[in-house]
Amino acid sequence: MTPHSFSYTRNSRDFHYVTMLFVIYTVLFLMYLVIDVVWWILAFGVTATLPAIWEIISNRKSGLYLTNNKLKCWSGRHKLEISFTDIDYIRFDTRFDFSVRVSALTVDDKTIRLPYDALPNMKILESACKAHGLRTKRKHFLFAER
């Protein structure tokens, strides 16, 4: 019996992403009205959000797809496709900020980092990888090692 394919897609116009920007601009506006903050602090706050605005405008798509024999991953114009026979295992690296980076380690000792914005919840991804017969390893708070 072979597992079903697994797919995950997202775009940049996520409700939480837009809500975050709305809250930031509301706080900046209230700072201007209530405490009469200087203009360069407001300019710094607006400048810091420009990449997020560009993400919403461009609405970049990303995602991951697992079939019975391939892992496909994309983020914007970057595309990645790896056959399961080329993958030794999938490594989940937990960083000091508690984010998780996912890498595919190949049988010829190459490390291929999967794009962060193309990944679902790590528990879901790990169970999907195991269901497709891929070995997984977890590393906590360590630098990259084989």
Side-chain angles (χ1 to χ4, degrees):
M1 183 175 156
T2 58
H4 297 288
S5 62
F6 172 80
S7 66
Y8 171 78
T9 57
R10 67 176 286 273
N11 60 25
S12 297
R13 291 187 187 151
D14 187 80
F15 173 75
H16 301 291
Y17 210 53
V18 174
T19 305
M20 175 197 62
L21 277 176
F22 178 76
V23 168
I24 289 171
Y25 283 124
T26 302
V27 168
L28 288 172
F29 183 69
L30 288 175
M31 286 172 57
Y32 174 73
L33 287 179
V34 176
I35 62 174
D36 198 28
V37 70
V38 293
W39 68 269
W40 57 269
I41 293 176
L42 292 176
F44 179 75
V46 170
T47 305
T49 61
L50 290 178
I53 290 174
W54 175 248
E55 285 288 320
I56 291 172
I57 291 171
S58 66
N59 195 23
R60 184 174 66 179
K61 309 271 190 258
S62 59
L64 179 126
Y65 190 68
L66 289 172
T67 63
N68 292 332
N69 59 356
K70 287 192 190 240
L71 180 145
K72 298 178 185 179
C73 203
W74 68 93
S75 176
R77 288 186 265 165
H78 303 292
K79 295 183 187 337
L80 170 70
E81 186 172 324
I82 311 169
S83 174
F84 284 177
T85 57
D86 295 333
I87 298 174
D88 187 16
Y89 62 91
I90 304 292
R91 187 178 68 204
F92 294 83
D93 296 321
T94 303
R95 303 294 179 160
F96 287 111
D97 63 351
F98 297 104
S99 66
V100 179
R101 301 291 185 249
V102 181
S103 303
L105 285 90
T106 63
V107 291
D108 56 349
D109 292 333
K110 290 183 184 172
T111 301
I112 302 170
R113 179 73 47 111
L114 303 181
Y116 185 75
D117 57 340
L119 302 175
N121 179 293
M122 295 307 142
K123 290 180 182 178
I124 295 171
L125 179 59
E126 187 174 20
S127 64
C129 288
K130 287 180 181 179
H132 283 82
L134 293 170
R135 287 189 319 132
T136 62
K137 290 186 179 180
R138 287 194 163 267
K139 299 284 184 185
H140 297 288
F141 310 115
L142 297 175
F143 297 106
E145 66 179 60
R146 181 102 169 115

